[in-house]
Structures are given as structure tokens and as C-alpha cells.
Amino acid sequence: MKIKLEPIPLGIIVIGVLFSLYLQFQIPEGTYFSGDAALKSLLAQQLSTGEWRFDLWQPTEAWVRNLWQDGLYPYAPPFVYNVAGRYYITFPFTFPLVTAPFYALFGFRGLYLVPLVATWAIWGTFYLTCKRLKVSAFHTSIALIGLIFASHLTLYSAMYWEHSLAVALCLAGMAMLLMIGYPSGLSKPTAVVSGGLIGLSVWFRPEFLSMVATLSALVIIAALAKSNFLNLFNKFNLKSIHYLAKNKVSFIASMFVAVSLFFVANKLVYGLFLGMHAVEIVEEFSWTRRLAEAWGNFQELSVVGFEYFPLAFFPLLYLLLYGFKRLEAKLNLKLVTIGIIGLLIAAAGYLFLTGGAAELKTAIKQYSIPILIAIAWLYVFRKIEVKFNARIGVIYLICVMFTAGACLLLDSGADEIAVGGKQWGPRYLLSLIPLVTWVTIEELNLIKDRSRPLFRYISIFTVVVLLAIGIHKNTYLGTLALQKAHQGVPPATQLLRETPEQVIAVSHQYAAQLLEPPLRGKKFFFQAETSTDLVKLSKVLVEQNQDQFIYVCYPYRKCQPPEDSQDNLQFTKGEQRFQIELSNLGQFGKYPIYEASIKQPL
């Protein structure tokens, strides 16, 4: 099928490419947005040398390895696990393995080629799908602006993270299943490719297991509805999704084969079918704790998702409008509205009387304006005809089911500031951004076909406002946040590179995560949170005839040794007494750095 390309959508993609390249230049050499990325880069660097092992490198010096085994290893769970004397990062080995050749060819910048090209592939897949389905150039342009500039997806092209690659694989597979296969279904070869691509995304991101389960469930439901199984689905009128059931065995089997091969690979590498991530999920597992955490994750991700991708409000408004229209014939909406208002007032009164005034004030600030806008929008559109089609309904189901499943899989660390830790926008929901964007333009098209021009213009205006908010949040503020996240590291790494001291002690593993990768193999890192740890390290250094090392404080946690009594920094070795003196070298980037000298008191 020949696809005619159009200049405006292509122009938007070209501008997006230029913007994504600009983001690449905001990343200083050797720095990473987060510690997660830095740890993966350690493994990628190691693999790039041809050393085919998936545990982190250990030096030949026995005294360093002994100190690491004695509790001074620079990293700790849930980021790195010690298994039989080998140190494994918790993240899948696949992304470092895929990016290692590019590091070998192009150095540090090569690590970002895969996230960058994967992001372009997402745009290309989305655009080609729009063209194949004969979406107008106007609606395609709106969608591309939302996808590229009004969401946080593009920012992840400038982060050494595997999300972009996983989303690109999954989107390609879902585009075949949901869009290209509509309404006649997939051929057997296409079903195999579609399922294989979706299954392959699990190799890079564990939450895509939820997508595999979600799509398997939908295909099975479609098959049962098509076969009229026990007449269970008659009242739901699911005939429009029967196309999902065509070649269902090939589709589901290819997904499960791809996932099963990943489990086998994990077993070979780690001895665990689920990989090191299983230690987080399975350790001290309890359904009560898991469900409670999943509910908390779902609430947080749902709210934050709308904050970073405001365009998602439009499908929500459309869904609410559809619900009201369906209820209109069965219920007195005025009474329902009065009842909802009464419940809100009662809830507000309860919070106020039980000492939740602060929470009530916060909730009013956060939600009052969106709620009022939603009410006004629903009132304006109350007279139009609202329709759904099969693709829209399926995508709504995918969004809800995938989010719920992903929240069950996620393990929230006690030290995390948010679900997913340091990030820009909810990274676990990135796969939903293309789907929500597609639903938006599909609904715009339905409004255009079934209502007066006035309502079409109001809906377009609503989308434009949401796009403007998203562009400000992500393209402007997101770029500033990306720049800021990298600024505090280069001065510290430059100092550590120039100092003759080979031993670097850090007060917290978060400091080591960002500082070690550019110095890998040139310095020895140790985690020394307390004065006792510094004394343990210094005793061994005395044995190695070393009397100086560097101590780096992580700025966002208490750094005890520099504030501790000098008595706690003294120790004896044999009959000799030693004192550790910490000289403040100053603040380098965001890190306070000290020079530690091991001296014998006069």
C-alpha cells in the first residue's frame, strides 16, 4: 500500500528531531539523569570491552574486594545485590547489552543512540498508522504535537533509560493489532510479528508483563464473544471487537514465547527466572502489602499522569460525557448531580471536622478548577450525539487494565520520593501516551462528524489549550529540569579525575551511582556512611601504605563524619595510634568534598 506523505505532519516530526538533538547537547559528558541510568552504564561499559559477564567488575586487588565484602561496597539493595560474591544490578541485563556496541563505537554519546532512535521510531510508527487509517493531516498534526512536545515522552530520548525502546516495540505490535488489523483482523504472519514485538518489550521493562496480560485477556474475551460462549457476552454487544480474535493463537503464542525466552535468559544469567527484579518483588511478599501498595501506586500515577500529559483530560471528558448521555434516559441527572454535590460537601465536612483541613485545602487547590472546567464542558456538550467505536473502547480498557497491572508489579522503595523515583512524569505509563493521543484525535473526528461546527471548534479549542499546557510543562519546564539534573555532577567528577588519590569514599550510594561511571577502573569507590566505616577503611589503607583519600558527601542525606567528634575518627593499629583528619575542599557542583588524611598524633 502506497502512503502519500504530507508536509505539515512531516515538518512537525522534523522539528521534533531537531528538538531531541538539542536535548542531547544538554547532557554533559559522563553524567546521567539518575542513578539508575548510571548503574546500567557501568554494565554497558564492561560489556563494551568484550567481557561477557553480567555481574559488575571487581578489581584484582584483594584488599578492595575484602572491604567490599565487609560492608563497604559502594552500592546496596534495591539497586545492587550480592549473590555468592558477585554484584548484580537489579535492572535487566538486556538494555546495557544492546547499547554496549554503541558505547564501544562512539563512547559516552553512543549510549543515547538507542533511546533517541527508539523515540523517533515511536513518532514514525504513529504517523504511518495515521496515514494508513486515512486520518486527516490536521488531526495528525494535532496528535504529533501532543506526542512530541506536549508529553514527557520526548524527554526520555535524552535519558539513558530503556523506556523508549520498550514503548517503540510495544507500540509497533499494538498498532498492528488494534489499528492495522481493524476491522478484518490480522493475518497469521502479522499476528506472530505483532505478538513477538509486544513480548520483546518485556525484555527491557518488567511492567510490560501487564501489557501482555491485558492484551491476552482482551483477545480471549473477543474470542469468547465471537463464539457466543454460554451467551455470557450477548448483553455487552461486543461484536465490534471480534476482529481481535482472528489468529488469536498465533498472537498470544508469539507473545508468550518471547516472554518465556526472556525468563530462560534470566535463569541462565542470574539463576532466577524473573531476574534480580524478583528479589524486590518476592522478598517478604504479602498480598495485603502488595494490594495496598498497588492502590497507592494507582492513585499517584493516575493524578501525576494528567499533570504531565494534560491532553489525557480530553478523553476523560469525552468518557464522562458518554456516561452522562447513557444515563440520561434512565436517571434524573439533576437529582444525580445534586446527590454528587451533596456527597462532596459531606466529604469536605468530614475532613474538616476530623482535622483534615490541610488536606481539604490542598485538594481544593488541586482539583477545584479542573472539576469546574469539566462541569462547564459537559454542560456545553450535553446536547451533542456521543458515539464510541471498537478501537476507542478497547484503548480505554487497555489503559485501565495496564495501569492496574503495572501498579501490582511495581515495588515502591521506602527511599523513593515518588513511584518510579527520580523522573520527569510517570515513566511507567509512557506506553499509554500514544494510545491516549490516538483516542483524542479519534474523538475529535467523531465530534466533527456528529455535531454542529460550533461544538467542533470548542472541542478543538479545548485540545489546543491542553496542548499549550503540556508544551509548557514538558518542552519548557522539562528541558530546564533536564539541564538542572546534570549540572551538579561535572564539577565533582572533574575534581575526582584530577586528584591523585585513588580511593573515594562516599556517604551514600546515590553519590557513587553518579560519580563512578566516568571514573570506572581508575578509582576505587567505598560507601562509608559513618565514622566507624571511615575507621574500617583507614585501617586497611594504613596496611597498604596509603595515608590519603577523598570523602564525598551526598547533599540530600545527613553526612555524619565531618560533623562527628574527632574522638570517633581515631583508631589504633598495632601499637600505633592514628587520627583521620577531614579537610573541607569546598562544594563541587552539588557535592561537599573533603580530603581525608590519616595521621599519627604528635
Side-chain angles (χ1 to χ4, degrees):
M1 178 180 177
K2 188 175 181 180
I3 295 177
K4 182 181 178 181
L5 303 180
E6 294 169 320
I8 295 179
L10 283 178
I12 293 170
I13 291 176
V14 169
I15 295 172
V17 169
L18 294 176
F19 173 59
S20 63
L21 291 174
Y22 168 76
L23 292 177
Q24 294 292 317
F25 287 102
Q26 308 311 303
I27 308 168
E29 183 80 20
T31 62
Y32 301 88
F33 180 80
S34 71
D36 292 8
L39 286 173
K40 293 168 195 171
S41 77
L42 288 178
L43 183 55
Q45 291 179 45
Q46 180 177 302
L47 292 170
S48 71
T49 64
E51 188 176 347
W52 291 97
R53 52 185 296 174
F54 297 100
D55 59 309
L56 292 181
W57 166 86
Q58 295 188 52
T60 56
E61 289 81 352
W63 65 271
V64 176
R65 298 198 306 273
N66 291 337
L67 278 172
W68 283 359
Q69 290 290 335
D70 198 23
L72 298 190
Y73 190 67
Y75 311 113
F79 299 99
V80 176
Y81 290 91
N82 184 346
V83 179
R86 294 187 172 189
Y87 299 98
Y88 294 95
I89 62 175
T90 188
F91 314 104
F93 67 91
T94 46
F95 188 62
L97 180 62
V98 168
T99 54
F102 300 102
Y103 182 86
L105 290 172
F106 306 109
F108 171 75
R109 297 295 168 186
L111 292 175
Y112 289 84
L113 277 176
V114 171
L116 180 63
V117 174
T119 303
W120 295 347
I122 293 169
W123 305 344
T125 299
F126 190 92
Y127 174 65
L128 292 175
T129 303
C130 288
K131 291 301 300 174
R132 188 180 182 96
L133 296 175
K134 299 180 180 179
V135 178
S136 69
F138 176 72
H139 284 152
T140 302
S141 299
I142 287 177
L144 288 172
I145 291 172
L147 190 66
I148 298 172
F149 302 106
S151 80
H152 46 293
L153 183 63
T154 301
L155 287 168
Y156 281 82
S157 69
M159 300 177 194
Y160 182 62
W161 245 327
E162 63 278 356
H163 291 280
S164 301
L165 178 56
V167 172
L169 293 168
C170 189
L171 178 62
M174 287 196 296
M176 295 177 187
L177 175 68
L178 302 177
M179 310 299 181
I180 297 174
Y182 182 80
S184 58
L186 296 177
S187 65
K188 185 171 289 187
T190 308
V192 171
V193 173
S194 173
L197 288 171
I198 295 167
L200 194 58
S201 65
V202 176
W203 284 65
F204 299 96
R205 288 301 315 169
E207 67 268 17
F208 281 84
L209 282 168
S210 176
M211 188 63 77
V212 169
T214 296
L215 295 176
S216 298
L218 286 175
V219 169
I220 291 170
I221 289 171
L224 292 174
K226 187 176 181 180
S227 65
N228 200 21
F229 180 72
L230 298 179
N231 297 318
L232 289 176
F233 299 97
N234 284 349
K235 63 180 179 179
F236 295 109
N237 190 24
L238 297 179
K239 185 177 180 180
S240 56
I241 68 166
H242 288 177
Y243 77 98
L244 294 174
K246 185 175 180 182
N247 288 311
K248 57 186 177 298
V249 174
S250 299
F251 173 74
I252 293 176
S254 60
M255 279 199 302
F256 277 71
V257 166
V259 173
S260 299
L261 289 174
F262 175 57
F263 289 162
V264 171
N266 279 332
K267 181 67 174 177
L268 294 174
V269 171
Y270 305 111
L272 299 166
F273 282 110
L274 295 179
M276 295 311 301
H277 187 66
V279 179
E280 288 183 74
I281 300 297
V282 177
E283 196 175 57
E284 299 180 2
F285 179 85
S286 105
W287 275 111
T288 303
R289 172 178 168 268
R290 175 60 53 199
L291 290 173
E293 285 189 357
W295 175 240
N297 293 341
F298 187 86
Q299 290 176 296
E300 180 178 333
L301 290 178
S302 299
V303 173
V304 177
F306 286 107
E307 177 187 350
Y308 284 87
F309 189 44
L311 190 62
F313 274 111
F314 190 84
L316 178 62
L317 290 173
Y318 193 89
L319 181 63
L320 290 173
L321 182 62
Y322 179 76
F324 279 128
K325 298 293 287 185
R326 292 294 299 268
L327 290 172
E328 192 173 26
K330 300 178 181 180
L331 299 173
N332 187 324
L333 289 184
K334 289 184 179 179
L335 291 178
V336 172
T337 303
I338 292 171
I340 292 173
I341 293 173
L343 287 173
L344 290 174
I345 293 173
Y350 174 78
L351 278 174
F352 183 79
L353 292 174
T354 55
E359 291 83 353
L360 178 61
K361 185 177 179 181
T362 302
I364 291 173
K365 282 183 177 180
Q366 285 183 333
Y367 304 120
S368 59
I369 293 178
I371 289 174
L372 290 174
I373 292 174
I375 292 172
W377 196 89
L378 293 171
Y379 180 79
V380 169
F381 280 82
R382 70 191 187 283
K383 297 297 184 182
I384 74 167
E385 182 184 3
V386 183
K387 293 291 183 182
F388 262 30
N389 61 33
R391 288 196 300 260
I392 289 179
V394 166
I395 290 174
Y396 274 112
L397 281 173
I398 289 173
C399 290
V400 174
M401 293 170 67
F402 170 78
T403 303
C407 289
L408 272 173
L409 292 172
L410 300 178
D411 189 72
S412 301
D415 211 24
E416 287 186 346
I417 57 175
V419 179
K422 184 181 178 182
Q423 59 191 335
W424 183 261
R427 56 193 177 96
Y428 297 125
L429 301 185
L430 285 173
S431 60
L432 301 184
I433 289 175
L435 299 180
V436 172
T437 304
W438 169 263
V439 166
T440 300
I441 60 171
E442 187 92 343
E443 290 169 347
L444 279 177
N445 197 51
L446 289 174
I447 291 174
K448 181 195 75 170
D449 292 341
R450 290 177 170 83
S451 62
R452 292 179 295 170
L454 174 64
F455 293 111
R456 180 195 177 196
Y457 296 140
I458 293 174
S459 62
I460 291 173
F461 175 75
T462 304
V463 168
V464 169
V465 170
L466 294 173
L467 288 176
I469 296 171
I471 290 170
H472 177 264
K473 179 71 176 180
N474 295 292
T475 300
Y476 176 64
L477 295 180
T479 301
L480 294 179
L482 187 73
Q483 294 169 339
K484 184 179 179 181
H486 293 88
Q487 287 173 353
V489 179
T493 54
Q494 181 178 349
L495 173 73
L496 297 180
R497 189 180 288 110
E498 294 173 353
T499 56
E501 289 84 0
Q502 195 177 21
V503 172
I504 312 293
V506 296
S507 66
H508 196 282
Q509 67 169 323
Y510 288 166
Q513 287 174 8
L514 292 175
L515 295 176
E516 185 183 7
L519 306 170
R520 186 64 163 169
K522 300 174 183 176
K523 307 283 184 177
F524 299 131
F525 277 75
F526 301 89
Q527 184 174 185
E529 294 187 24
T530 65
S531 297
T532 302
D533 293 332
L534 279 186
V535 168
K536 185 189 295 185
L537 172 62
S538 298
K539 285 181 178 180
V540 175
L541 291 180
V542 168
E543 294 175 357
Q544 301 300 318
N545 297 317
Q546 297 186 41
D547 58 6
Q548 283 189 325
F549 61 94
I550 297 295
Y551 188 67
V552 181
C553 284
Y554 181 67
Y556 307 119
R557 297 289 187 276
K558 182 176 176 60
C559 190
Q560 178 197 344
E563 302 173 2
D564 214 349
S565 166
Q566 286 295 309
D567 293 339
N568 293 329
L569 293 172
Q570 294 179 356
F571 64 93
T572 57
K573 188 73 175 173
E575 297 180 356
Q576 296 179 307
R577 189 166 186 80
F578 296 90
Q579 173 77 47
I580 305 171
E581 294 183 0
L582 295 174
S583 303
N584 191 349
L585 297 179
Q587 181 114 353
F588 293 82
K590 62 182 179 182
Y591 299 101
I593 297 181
Y594 297 81
E595 183 179 62
S597 301
I598 307 170
K599 298 181 178 180
Q600 291 183 280
L602 297 175

